[in-house]
Amino acid sequence: MQKPESIVILTGAGISAESGIETFRAADGLWANHPVDEVATPEGFERNPQLVYQFYNQRREQLLSQDIKPNAAHTALAKFEHDFDGTFLLVTQNIDNLHERAGSENVLHMHGELLKMRCLNSKMVFDIRESFDYDTRCECCRSPGNLRPHVVWFGEMPLHINQINMALEACDIFIAIGTSGNVYPAAGFYQTAKNCQAHTVELNLEKTGSSFDTSVYGPATQIVPEYLEKILQS
Ligand code: NAD
């Protein structure tokens, strides 16, 4: 393997699976036993805001519990960012904070963050570790009913897309870790990178539908540290 100068890594729910956070099973349309259109669409929030607040409050509580910790794959990515002397960007579809807790610094959360909420009026984003709902008063406008999870739902525009596309067009390796390739636009990133002559790599428990140049299958905690070490040694 030739030593790359610029790398973009995309992570999905699979990297956090061995930390105890359930993945989103696109095949049966359920996320933590809830139909996705109920808890991850603007229409679902309009229909039943209480259910949506409760769903993300539960996910946040779980994320902050003592049992949930970064695993060896998160740690290997943070070490790699530190040791690699080229350009590095980590893009995650995950709304958890396990990359940051492992020590990653250059991370873009394209689908938002569980530990943030947003005012529907001012669009200001606030950190939040506790539960909140319709009755919670917003810090900026002081009214109830204005706060929502700072999470990108289906049908909404992901965050940082221009910055991500620029990095994809300039990278020489693109690595997708633990993502099913069912959720766009993230599912199309490998094609953007490929069109710009990058080598594309998939690290996953099992084969997904996309044709990557290199595929390695196994649990993320095992294959991610091994593959990243190989790049550093190249
Ligand atoms: P997905 O659930 O659709 O796919 C998960 C992928 O991870 C699958 O391809 C599976 O084979 C793979 N996988 C499972 N366990 C693995 C392991 N131990 N090692 C390596 N790979 C493993 O996830 P997605 O593609 O990220 O799309 C899901 C959407 O749901 C995202 O947009 C995300 O915002 C959201 N989500 C986030 C979290 C989180 O923050 N941790 C959890 C669930 C869902």
Side-chain angles (χ1 to χ4, degrees):
M1 187 191 304
Q2 208 187 332
K3 193 161 191 127
E5 287 176 7
S6 175
I7 298 190
V8 176
I9 297 186
L10 170 71
T11 61
I15 197 165
S16 297
E18 290 166 84
S19 291
I21 301 182
E22 264 186 75
T23 62
F24 161 70
R25 284 154 298 153
D28 59 13
L30 291 179
W31 180 3
N33 293 323
H34 288 76
V36 166
D37 60 349
E38 281 183 9
V39 295
T41 61
E43 295 77 20
F45 185 54
E46 217 166 278
R47 269 196 308 269
N48 191 349
Q50 232 24 60
L51 174 77
V52 177
Y53 285 123
Q54 190 189 35
F55 177 78
Y56 290 96
N57 286 339
Q58 283 169 354
R59 309 271 78 68
R60 192 176 309 106
E61 196 180 324
Q62 181 204 27
L63 178 61
L64 294 173
S65 74
Q66 299 237 315
D67 309 340
I68 303 290
K69 297 186 186 78
N71 63 46
H74 297 105
T75 309
L77 278 168
K79 179 180 178 299
F80 182 83
E81 178 178 355
H82 185 260
D83 295 348
F84 179 62
D85 54 12
T87 308
F88 175 86
L89 178 64
L90 177 57
V91 179
T92 187
Q93 297 170 90
N94 294 346
I95 58 174
D96 66 49
N97 65 346
L98 297 181
H99 284 307
E100 286 86 349
R101 280 171 61 185
S104 286
E105 286 174 14
N106 198 10
V107 191
L108 294 181
H109 281 269
M110 63 178 289
H111 290 164
E113 293 172 69
L114 202 44
L115 301 186
K116 293 196 170 154
M117 60 184 182
R118 184 168 81 235
C119 172
L120 291 165
N121 271 341
S122 68
K123 315 286 181 241
M124 278 177 76
V125 174
F126 304 97
D127 291 336
I128 181 76
R129 296 177 77 82
E130 301 80 31
S131 290
F132 73 98
D133 61 18
Y134 187 88
D135 296 324
T136 309
R137 284 178 187 271
C138 170
E139 274 182 50
C140 55
C141 47
R142 304 268 158 216
S143 333
N146 280 346
L147 291 164
R148 63 163 274 180
H150 185 51
V151 164
V152 176
W153 289 324
F154 288 95
E156 297 183 321
M157 184 59 92
L159 309 171
H160 316 293
I161 280 298
N162 289 344
Q163 196 181 339
I164 296 169
N165 276 329
M166 280 193 318
L168 288 169
E169 285 164 12
C171 72
D172 31 39
I173 291 203
F174 169 73
I175 307 176
I177 303 173
T179 175
S180 61
N182 284 319
V183 181
Y184 277 86
F189 288 174
Y190 93 99
Q191 196 61 57
T192 307
K194 211 173 191 167
N195 292 347
C196 298
Q197 271 62 56
H199 186 78
T200 57
V201 180
E202 156 174 69
L203 305 181
N204 201 308
L205 202 51
E206 57 194 29
K207 188 167 172 38
T208 64
S210 311
S211 12
F212 289 84
D213 299 314
T214 300
S215 295
V216 182
Y217 303 118
T221 52
Q222 189 186 318
I223 61 177
V224 173
E226 282 171 11
Y227 194 83
L228 295 178
E229 193 51 39
K230 238 201 259 181
I231 297 180
L232 287 177
Q233 300 303 327
S234 62

